[in-house]
Amino acid sequence: MFQPSWFTTWIRFNRVNTTLRPTLKGGQGTAITADHTAEKSQSEAERLKDMGIEVRQGYLAGQLAVSRALGDLDLKTKSKVPGLLALPDVFKVHIGEDTEFLLLGSDGIFDPLQDRHAATHARKALRETQRPEAAALAVIENAGALSTLDNSSAAVIVLRMPEPLAKRAPRSRASLSALGS
């Protein structure tokens, strides 16, 4: 397992149509990137407008919600969708000692799930199973329970396994007969 130290504090990512969303630091999910859509990213909206590309109801060429992707073709012409860019974002993420994991997911994950809910599902599964693939599956299943309109993919990169929840001490309970007296 990756162990952050003083000389490994940054990770570089390249992404196209994958969102690096919650990174869990001290139990709190923090969004790192914005989606590549004209509706959610001002820079993508400006890039498309400068190219003269029309975005109708949030869709590029009337069919794609994302503006960066690999391999999507126009369904009628079988050519690349105008305005679709395959050039990735390149950025680096600071990794601190309190960073537990990074969650990467497609728009099929982060359209139906809020960042904090996705992070909570992943963290709960990590605590219960200690397996990143179980955490990714938990996120996919919870997104799928809310919406089946888009394909969903997720990956969990564990940097520091979350601590298991402490077991609660059993509480003594009064009997019904003792309550009636």
Side-chain angles (χ1 to χ4, degrees):
M1 180 170 313
F2 177 80
Q3 293 295 322
S5 67
W6 66 271
F7 59 87
T8 56
T9 58
W10 296 93
I11 294 179
R12 291 192 185 275
F13 283 95
N14 300 324
R15 73 180 184 100
V16 173
N17 193 22
T18 299
T19 302
L20 180 59
R21 273 304 207 351
T23 178
L24 219 54
K25 296 183 178 198
Q28 299 298 313
T30 305
I32 296 173
T33 65
D35 293 337
H36 287 139
T37 68
E39 285 187 323
K40 296 178 183 177
S41 169
Q42 184 64 34
S43 62
E44 288 296 303
E46 289 173 8
R47 179 182 69 81
L48 293 167
K49 184 179 177 184
D50 291 346
M51 292 177 68
I53 303 298
E54 181 182 358
V55 177
R56 294 184 308 265
Q57 298 178 335
Y59 287 88
L60 192 67
Q63 59 187 328
L64 283 178
V66 295
S67 55
R68 292 185 190 223
L70 299 174
D72 283 306
L73 299 177
D74 184 297
L75 298 174
K76 293 177 185 169
T77 66
K78 304 293 185 214
S79 60
K80 183 175 110 23
V81 173
L84 186 65
L85 187 62
L87 183 67
D89 277 343
V90 178
F91 61 95
K92 61 184 182 178
V93 177
H94 181 263
I95 303 299
E97 288 184 27
D98 59 345
T99 305
E100 293 177 350
F101 61 87
L102 302 172
L103 173 58
L104 286 82
S106 64
D107 54 339
I109 298 292
F110 293 111
D111 283 348
L113 280 180
Q114 293 179 359
D115 295 347
R116 64 187 167 97
H117 292 144
T120 298
H121 293 305
R123 189 174 202 222
K124 180 177 186 257
L126 285 173
R127 283 180 155 169
E128 292 172 354
T129 67
Q130 303 282 300
R131 295 178 39 235
E133 60 273 19
L137 184 59
V139 171
I140 291 168
E141 288 174 347
N142 281 281
L146 296 174
S147 173
T148 57
L149 297 177
D150 203 351
N151 60 342
S152 300
S153 60
V156 175
I157 302 167
V158 177
L159 304 172
R160 184 176 59 83
M161 195 61 72
E163 295 292 324
L165 292 175
K167 299 221 182 227
R168 293 183 190 180
R171 295 187 305 175
S172 61
R173 297 178 184 226
S175 68
L176 290 176
S177 59
L179 291 174
S181 0

